[in-house]
């Protein structure tokens, strides 16, 4: 067998080195192993062949066989240990081949070979955790604890084993035992202490919990921590095992060391409250407030003040004292939201809506959008209840409007309308307040801002026109024109919009601008004559008059008359303008103006002059009398003025002219 093995090894070497045939060499090596399965030399040569790419699984198996042979003493001279060979094989299985089962099998071989192999135990523990075999994980962790020598490592392993027992195996008692061992090893182990407190609580081991908390109190050098521990003990005594006297003892210990401790006072107060000793509770709180007078105890004092105020409001039913206590809170903490809310509620209950609204307004700053809207509506209603519409509007403005940053340093903030769609109802309410208070400028600004904010052009136009109407009604024709310009940018072909803009230009003495717009309107008629076109020329004439361009106005009015010969207002304007021009001119030009005036007013006598007409029949006779005066016909002038007075005996200008003619 030895000779056959050696011959096979020689053949394998020849195939590998001389011929370069790895497959034949491997076949010869396997023949050698068939003759001598303990041949380390054959396995090592086979290992070299298996290190070729793609042969990782074969290499893994070869390394395991080598490890077994070397461990059995078949090659005492081998430089590599069985453990190192198996580690390499495990690395191939776990990382290269991603074969979890093969990796676990190799780890078990290692542990079988050496029960104290910490590396193998750790790797197997991780593998079984990945496989969610927490029972074996727990057993492996306990084994590693037994083998451990380093205190920190052992403590960490105990933590791991306890965590698995508690969270994965539902064995809280086993977890308690492990954490207790960890805590005994190191009383500064905060994680073990916290875990024990949670487990004692879960298991209902209240006596153990109280003893453990007392131990933690003895170990702690922090008054705050000791207070927390005693508080937990007090809660257990008060809420779980019903030993109120022990609870009082723990709470008094807290207050002796940390006067004014908010939670201790609360729990002690709970005992007094349970017994109905509200006055004693109030005294307790007042005393604690006095004890917590220093700036370093501001938070504790605040909690006590709030508790006392709440007690006065609810248990003692003393709202005036409650108000005083909440005001005391605001003296220390002007921005305290809870105190403001409580004061608002109390003021409203006491029939002081204005004060309640003031408190609510102070809540706006830190509120989110939805809360701010709700608060604004509430404050506005309260102000209205107090009869203060101006303050009611102001409360709404604080959420309806928002201020941008100033555009330049030192500049005033520019307000813009808040974009939240949910503000629509509040804007309607604010609009109503502006109307009832005759705050038309604010109303116009609000409508303008809504137009700027609107998404659709049609909606923008409607709102711009509405705001323009508000300005126009109050004589602000320039502002009205600016808004109509914005509207016209959105609907450039809207004839009615152009006419409205023209009217505002004319009223603002911007005749040239009015004429320019009216020319655009004229173009829309494409040369057609109609009453509507006549009205446009009439407006052009009015615009020229606004700029004192009387001749141009006369021409425009004449164009209007040709398109609408029976228009009373056009004839009236032509008559008035002709008379005015006649009074300013001489000679033939004057005669022409007088003649035109006579014709226009005679034409008016043929028209139906109802109540809607811009001139009455009596006024027409009066103007014809003026024409007669300019013609030098005094007798006829008297006849006309008398006819005017016959139609309207109260026409003052006719009376004056008659007196002048008869003088």
């Amino acid at each position: 067998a030895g000779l056959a093995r050696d011959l096979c090894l020689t053949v394998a070497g020849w195939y590998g080195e001389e011929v370069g045939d790895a497959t034949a060499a491997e076949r010869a090596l396997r023949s050698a192993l068939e003759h001598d399965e303990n041949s380390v030399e054959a396995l090592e040569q086979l290992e070299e062949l298996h290190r070729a790419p793609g042969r990782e699984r074969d290499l893994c198996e070869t390394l395991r066989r080598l490890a077994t042979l070397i461990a059995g003493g078949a090659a005492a001279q081998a430089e590599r240990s069985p453990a190192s060979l198996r580690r390499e094989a495990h690395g191939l299985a776990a990382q290269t081949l991603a074969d979890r089962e093969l990796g676990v099998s190799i780890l078990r071989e290692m542990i079988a070979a050496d029960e104290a192999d910490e590396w193998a135990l750790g790797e197997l523990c991780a593998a079984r955790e990945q496989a969610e075999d927490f029972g074996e994980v727990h057993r492996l962790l306990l084994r590693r604890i037994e083998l451990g020598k380093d205190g920190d490592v052992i403590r960490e392993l105990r933590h791991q084993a306890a965590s698995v027992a508690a969270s994965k195996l539902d064995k809280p008692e086993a977890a308690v035992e492990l954490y207790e061992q960890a805590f005994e090893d190191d009383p500064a182990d905060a994680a073990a202490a916290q875990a024990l407190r949670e487990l004692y609580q879960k298991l209902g081991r209240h006596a153990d919990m109280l003893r453990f908390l007392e131990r933690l109190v003895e170990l702690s050098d922090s008054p705050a921590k000791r207070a927390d521990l005693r508080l937990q003990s007090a809660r257990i005594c008060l809420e779980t095992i019903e030993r109120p006297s022990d609870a009082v003892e723990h709470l008094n210990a807290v207050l002796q060391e940390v006067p004014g401790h908010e939670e201790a006072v609360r729990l002690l107060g709970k005992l007094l409250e349970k017994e109905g000793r509200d006055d004693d509770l109030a005294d307790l709180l007042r005393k604690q407030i006095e004890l917590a007078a220093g700036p370093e105890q501001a938070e504790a004092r605040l909690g006590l003040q709030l508790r006392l105020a709440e007690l006065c409001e609810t248990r003692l039913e003393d709202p005036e004292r409650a108000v005083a206590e909440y005001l005391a809170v605001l003296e220390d903490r002007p921005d305290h939201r809870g105190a403001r809310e409580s004061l608002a509620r109390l003021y409203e209950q006491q029939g002081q809506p204005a004060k309640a609204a003031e408190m609510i307004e102070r809540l706006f700053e830190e509120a989110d959008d939805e809360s701010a809207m709700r608060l604004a509506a509430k404050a506005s209603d309260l102000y209205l209840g107090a009869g203060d519409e101006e303050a009611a509007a102001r409360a709404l403005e604080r959420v309806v409007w928002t201020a941008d940053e100033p555009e330049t340093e030192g500049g005033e903030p520019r307000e813009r309308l808040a974009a939240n769609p949910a503000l629509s109802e509040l804007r309607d309410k604010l609009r109503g307040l502006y109307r009832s208070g005759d705050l038309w400028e604010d109303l116009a600004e609000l409508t303008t801002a809504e137009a700027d904010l609107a998404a659709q052009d049609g909606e923008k136009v409607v709102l711009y026109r509405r705001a323009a109407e508000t300005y126009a009604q109050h004589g602000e024709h320039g502002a009205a024109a600016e808004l109509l310009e914005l509207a016209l940018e959105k609907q450039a072909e809207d004839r009615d919009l152009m006419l409205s803009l023209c009217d505002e230009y004319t009223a603002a003495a911007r005749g040239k601008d009015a004429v320019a717009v009216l020319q655009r309107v004229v173009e829309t008629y494409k040369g057609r004559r109609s009453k509507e076109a006549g009205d446009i020329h009439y407006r052009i004439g009015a615009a020229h008059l606004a700029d004192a361009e009387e001749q141009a106005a006369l021409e425009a009015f004449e164009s209007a008359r040709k398109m609408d010969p029976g228009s009373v207002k056009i004839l009236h304007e032509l008559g008035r303008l002709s008379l005015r021009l006649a009074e300013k001119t001489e000679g033939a030009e004057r005669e022409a103006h007088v003649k035109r005036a006579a014709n226009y007013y005679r034409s008016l006598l043929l028209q139906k002059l109802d109540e809607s007409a811009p001139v009455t029949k009596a006024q027409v006779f009066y103007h014809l009398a003026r024409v007669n005066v300019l013609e030098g016909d005094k007798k006829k002038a008297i006849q006309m003025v008398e006819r005017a007075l016959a139609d309207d005996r109260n026409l003052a200008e006719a009376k004056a002219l008659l007196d002048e003619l008869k003088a």
Side-chain angles (χ1 to χ4, degrees):
L3 177 60
R5 176 200 63 206
D6 292 341
L7 288 172
C8 288
L9 288 173
T10 300
V11 170
W14 183 78
Y15 274 125
E17 296 173 6
E18 301 298 332
V19 179
D21 188 341
T23 301
E26 181 175 350
R27 191 164 51 246
L29 289 171
R30 291 193 182 279
S31 295
L33 287 170
E34 289 175 2
H35 291 292
D36 182 4
E37 62 181 9
N38 295 324
S39 174
V40 172
E41 183 179 359
L43 281 172
E44 286 179 339
Q45 290 185 37
L46 195 59
E47 174 192 352
E48 290 301 319
L49 291 174
H50 289 167
R51 289 191 180 277
R55 302 297 302 275
E56 288 81 2
R57 188 172 294 278
D58 293 329
L59 175 59
C60 184
E61 184 59 31
T62 301
L63 291 171
R64 293 174 70 187
R65 289 181 65 181
L66 270 173
T68 300
L69 288 179
I70 293 172
Q77 75 279 10
E79 296 180 358
R80 292 178 292 176
S81 67
S84 65
L85 291 168
R86 288 185 176 116
R87 280 197 187 189
E88 184 179 357
H90 176 264
L92 289 168
Q95 298 171 16
T96 305
L97 299 174
D99 189 335
R100 183 188 301 175
E101 293 185 3
L102 178 59
V104 168
S105 177
I106 294 169
L107 291 172
R108 293 194 190 283
E109 288 178 6
M110 296 179 72
I111 295 170
D114 180 5
E115 293 182 354
D117 189 332
E118 173 60 24
W119 183 86
L121 286 167
E123 290 295 317
L124 182 58
C125 189
R128 299 319 295 156
E129 182 176 7
Q130 188 176 9
E132 298 186 357
D133 185 355
F134 297 108
E136 184 171 7
V137 170
H138 189 254
R139 290 191 296 273
L140 289 168
L141 287 170
L142 293 179
R143 176 61 178 156
R144 292 173 68 190
I145 291 170
E146 292 175 3
L147 296 172
K149 297 178 181 179
D150 182 274
D152 291 337
V153 173
I154 292 173
R155 186 162 50 254
E156 176 60 28
L157 291 171
R158 282 199 174 106
H159 274 274
Q160 293 178 26
S163 177
V164 170
S167 63
K168 303 299 183 182
L169 301 178
D170 194 22
K171 294 181 178 180
E173 295 289 356
V176 167
E177 184 178 350
L178 287 162
Y179 280 127
E180 285 177 341
Q181 292 171 354
F183 186 78
E184 289 302 321
D185 290 345
D186 180 11
D189 189 338
Q194 181 61 34
L196 281 171
R197 291 166 69 177
E198 293 173 358
L199 287 167
Y200 286 146
Q201 178 71 25
K202 179 180 179 180
L203 294 169
R205 292 169 57 172
H206 304 302
D208 290 333
M209 174 71 92
L210 288 172
R211 283 193 296 271
F212 186 64
L213 291 173
E214 188 60 34
R215 174 80 185 282
L216 292 176
V217 168
E218 295 171 358
L219 292 170
S220 175
D221 58 358
S222 166
K225 289 182 179 179
R226 288 197 294 271
D228 289 341
L229 294 167
R230 286 176 172 137
L231 278 171
Q232 187 172 357
S233 297
R235 290 193 195 96
I236 293 172
C237 294
L238 181 63
E239 301 168 0
T240 306
I241 61 177
E242 297 184 358
R243 285 161 47 182
S245 59
D246 289 348
V248 170
E249 183 179 343
H250 289 303
L251 293 171
N252 282 332
V254 173
L255 293 175
Q256 287 174 5
E257 191 169 29
V258 187
H261 191 287
E262 181 180 355
E263 185 64 10
V265 173
R266 189 189 71 79
L267 286 176
L268 186 54
K270 186 175 181 180
L271 283 172
L272 296 174
E273 184 177 0
K274 185 176 181 180
E275 298 177 6
R277 296 165 57 184
D278 298 325
D279 289 327
D280 292 338
L281 176 56
D283 291 340
L284 167 68
L285 294 171
R286 174 50 57 193
K287 181 178 179 180
Q288 295 302 318
I289 290 170
E290 293 170 358
L291 289 173
E296 71 282 358
Q297 294 175 309
E299 289 299 320
R301 182 171 64 253
L302 174 64
L304 293 167
Q305 287 174 320
L306 290 171
R307 181 71 180 92
L308 179 55
E310 180 185 355
L311 178 66
C312 292
E313 180 183 355
T314 56
R315 303 279 296 186
L316 296 176
E317 297 182 355
D318 189 345
E320 292 185 3
R321 186 177 176 187
V323 167
E325 295 298 341
Y326 282 124
L327 288 174
V329 170
L330 291 183
E331 287 180 7
D332 283 347
R333 296 282 290 275
D335 60 342
H336 194 280
R337 186 176 186 85
R340 293 176 183 174
E341 291 174 342
S342 298
L343 282 167
R345 182 179 61 255
L346 287 166
Y347 282 139
E348 186 176 4
Q349 292 172 356
Q350 292 177 330
Q352 301 183 68
K355 285 188 174 182
E358 288 173 6
M359 283 296 161
I360 289 175
E361 278 199 279
R362 294 171 66 182
L363 296 171
F364 285 5
E365 297 174 2
E366 298 177 2
D368 57 28
D369 288 350
E370 184 176 350
S371 298
M373 288 187 285
R374 176 178 52 79
L375 292 169
K378 178 68 173 176
S380 179
D381 289 342
L382 287 168
Y383 277 127
L384 287 175
D388 191 342
E389 287 192 1
E390 182 179 350
R394 182 192 65 221
L396 294 175
E397 286 172 343
R398 293 187 62 180
V399 294
V400 168
W401 295 92
T402 183
D404 287 341
E405 294 296 323
E407 295 182 359
T408 57
E409 186 174 354
E412 290 296 324
R414 177 173 54 82
E415 286 191 334
R416 59 181 172 83
L417 201 63
N420 193 330
L423 285 168
S424 175
E425 184 176 343
L426 293 187
R427 287 201 291 266
D428 290 341
K429 189 173 183 179
L430 180 59
R431 190 178 295 107
L433 288 171
Y434 285 157
R435 288 197 183 99
S436 63
D438 196 26
L439 302 173
W440 63 268
E441 288 181 292
D442 294 322
L443 176 61
E445 288 180 10
L446 176 60
T447 308
T448 301
E450 287 180 307
D452 293 338
L453 200 64
Q456 303 297 323
D457 285 349
E459 186 180 359
K460 285 180 179 290
V461 170
V462 170
L463 291 169
Y464 281 136
R465 295 191 71 165
R466 189 177 299 164
E469 288 171 5
T470 302
Y471 279 121
Q473 288 168 2
H474 294 83
E476 294 291 337
H477 299 289
E482 290 179 5
L483 292 173
L484 291 174
E485 287 170 353
L486 294 174
L488 196 57
E489 289 178 4
K490 304 300 179 183
Q491 292 184 0
E493 301 302 320
D494 190 321
R495 187 182 295 168
D496 185 55
L497 194 53
M498 293 183 202
L499 294 176
S500 297
L501 177 57
C502 165
D503 290 341
E504 297 308 318
Y505 279 150
T506 301
R510 293 173 58 182
K512 290 184 174 60
D513 292 328
V515 170
V517 173
L518 289 168
Q519 292 296 347
R520 288 172 59 185
V521 178
V522 170
E523 292 172 4
T524 65
Y525 286 97
K526 303 183 183 304
R528 297 191 305 272
R529 290 193 176 191
S530 66
K531 289 186 177 181
E532 291 82 2
D535 183 65
I536 304 306
H537 285 282
Y538 171 82
R539 290 170 182 264
I540 293 174
H544 282 308
L545 281 182
D547 282 350
E549 296 180 355
E550 294 175 329
Q551 189 58 43
L554 183 62
E555 293 173 3
F557 288 140
E558 275 291 347
S559 296
R561 186 185 64 81
K562 292 175 182 178
M563 296 179 185
D564 189 4
S567 171
V568 172
K569 68 177 181 180
I570 295 173
L571 291 170
H572 177 50
E573 285 296 338
L574 280 167
R576 288 199 305 174
L577 182 55
S578 295
L579 279 174
R580 191 186 313 162
L581 291 171
E583 291 170 347
K584 293 181 179 181
T585 56
E586 299 291 340
E589 186 178 357
R590 177 176 180 175
E591 290 179 6
H593 288 312
V594 171
K595 183 177 180 180
R596 277 197 302 271
N599 290 334
Y600 297 142
Y601 283 116
R602 291 191 186 102
S603 295
L604 278 171
L605 290 175
L606 301 176
Q607 306 301 319
K608 182 179 179 181
L609 302 178
D610 55 20
E611 293 181 357
S612 64
V615 64
T616 66
K617 195 169 185 179
Q619 290 171 331
V620 173
F621 283 124
Y622 162 72
H623 289 305
L624 282 170
R626 290 178 60 202
V627 170
N628 295 143
V629 170
L630 291 172
E631 291 174 336
D633 191 341
K634 183 176 181 181
K635 180 179 179 181
K636 197 168 184 180
I638 292 174
Q639 290 176 352
M640 287 297 161
V641 80
E642 286 176 343
R643 293 182 70 178
L645 290 170
D647 200 68
D648 183 0
R649 62 184 179 182
N650 296 318
L651 190 61
E653 56 265 38
K655 289 180 180 181
L657 181 57
L658 183 59
D659 291 341
E660 181 183 339
L661 291 170
K662 290 185 176 182

